Amino acid sequence: MRSRYAAFAVEDEAYLLRTWHPTTRPARVDFERGMRWTGLEIEDVSGGSPFHTTGTVTFRAAYTHRGQPGELREQSRFTRHEGAWVYLDAVVTS
């Protein structure tokens, strides 16, 4: 999760696409102009151990967009694909 947040912060599209499940991966990542990610707080984690095939991460990510502060809250679902953990999808909570 932290690596994907960092990839969004530096707009590393290749990494984001590589770590996205092929059934839900978009053709490209559209980064929001004027968006600056400023902090990440992990609120909850379930699953995701070496013994699991799925897991979730609930987080809050702070940002500024064109000078205005904001926050994204999300519960992201991850799954194993070809032995690696990849992002599957999410429920945005606010």
Side-chain angles (χ1 to χ4, degrees):
M1 178 65 232
R2 292 181 196 282
S3 66
R4 287 183 54 84
Y5 168 81
F8 268 104
V10 298
E11 298 186 1
D12 185 347
E13 181 181 41
Y15 180 82
L16 291 167
L17 294 175
R18 197 169 51 251
T19 59
W20 211 311
H21 195 277
T23 63
T24 57
R25 178 175 47 224
R28 58 179 305 213
V29 178
D30 293 320
F31 297 103
E32 184 74 29
R33 296 190 77 177
M35 179 78 75
R36 183 171 169 257
W37 295 100
T38 59
L40 175 68
E41 180 182 340
I42 304 296
E43 296 180 334
D44 189 39
V45 176
S46 67
S49 81
F51 303 105
H52 293 106
T53 57
T54 63
T56 63
V57 177
T58 304
F59 69 90
R60 292 188 319 193
Y63 63 84
T64 58
H65 184 247
R66 298 189 172 122
Q68 298 297 312
E71 182 178 88
L72 169 71
R73 297 189 79 213
E74 180 177 297
Q75 183 180 63
S76 296
R77 292 192 317 152
F78 292 85
T79 188
R80 288 193 188 270
H81 178 71
E82 297 177 351
W85 283 106
V86 294
Y87 172 81
L88 182 61
D89 61 13
V91 175
V92 176
T93 58
S94 69

